[in-house]
Amino acid sequence: MNGEFWSIGECMLEIQDGGSDTLRITAADDTYSTAVYFKRMLPSVVVRYVSALGQDAVSQRMRQHICAHDVDDSLIAALPGRLSGCTLVRVGGCRVSRTRLPSGRPCCQS
């Protein structure tokens, strides 16, 4: 199959707290996951992610994470003075709760 697939949305920094002394940090969101899984299913298709990130170190790491999955990042805007969104995921038993920090309150700064 040839062609392109564009996924448009927000990629956030996700901090996963499984209740141990270790936190797992990754890039996540439905539109981002869709782009990654689409590329895995159809590696010959060009997959582009359309979004915006900041210019801070965390945003740069997220961009590297996106590229590591062979997803094209050329349509991701780098916005000066902006920071990436962040969500905290708590996993306990069969329950998962998500907490998104309010706008303007970044969870991480470089």
Side-chain angles (χ1 to χ4, degrees):
M1 179 177 189
N2 295 327
E4 292 187 4
F5 175 81
W6 292 22
S7 186
I8 304 168
E10 177 181 34
C11 186
M12 298 181 66
L13 182 69
E14 182 176 273
I15 302 171
Q16 299 172 359
D17 177 5
S20 67
D21 292 337
T22 304
L23 297 174
R24 182 171 183 252
I25 300 174
T26 187
D29 194 65
D30 294 342
T31 58
Y32 171 65
S33 296
T34 299
V36 169
Y37 288 116
F38 196 93
K39 184 63 179 183
R40 287 180 187 169
M41 289 174 31
L42 297 167
S44 64
V45 173
V46 174
V47 176
R48 301 184 192 281
Y49 193 62
V50 183
S51 191
L53 294 170
Q55 293 180 330
D56 59 301
V58 172
S59 295
Q60 291 304 312
R61 284 286 305 271
M62 289 173 67
R63 196 170 201 140
Q64 291 169 355
H65 191 286
I66 291 165
C67 291
H69 290 282
D70 202 19
V71 173
D72 180 86
D73 71 334
S74 64
L75 299 174
I76 298 175
L79 304 177
R82 300 299 301 257
L83 299 171
S84 299
C86 180
T87 183
L88 173 64
V89 178
R90 293 181 187 96
V91 180
C94 294
R95 186 170 167 241
V96 175
S97 66
R98 295 181 182 271
T99 304
R100 183 173 174 170
L101 294 176
S103 296
R105 311 261 343 237
C107 60
C108 300
Q109 293 188 27
S110 54

